[in-house]
Amino acid sequence: MTEKPQIVLTVTSAGIVSAETKGLAGSGCLDYITILEDLLDARTTESAYTADYTRTNVNIQDLQEERDVERA
């Protein structure tokens, strides 16, 4: 399953902006922090990892093994 990377931005009525990356495994999401800060002319005050941070991208074909099976 390949999920297209996304950034979900939420802006509250008080003007507080929060962002969450989806579909980015590992530290790749960290690259977007500075991009968002530049675009929003803002500075990050809090940051936390999602479950995707510890998830790894695995190719199903890499998991398949060749096995010799003897017929009875």
Side-chain angles (χ1 to χ4, degrees):
M1 180 175 112
T2 304
E3 187 177 346
K4 185 176 179 182
Q6 297 178 345
I7 301 173
V8 178
L9 292 174
T10 304
V11 182
T12 68
S13 59
I16 297 171
V17 178
S18 63
E20 179 181 354
T21 58
K22 296 185 178 203
L24 292 165
S27 62
C29 59
L30 300 176
D31 297 336
Y32 291 89
I33 292 174
T34 54
I35 294 170
L36 287 172
E37 287 178 333
D38 289 344
L39 287 172
L40 299 170
D41 192 25
R43 191 172 132 208
T44 302
T45 58
E46 286 183 40
S47 181
Y49 297 119
T50 65
D52 282 345
Y53 182 77
T54 56
R55 182 177 57 92
T56 56
N57 287 324
V58 177
N59 186 343
I60 298 299
Q61 291 176 344
D62 292 341
L63 296 177
Q64 293 177 345
E65 298 178 10
E66 288 186 32
R67 297 184 183 173
D68 292 329
V69 178
E70 293 182 28
R71 293 187 178 217

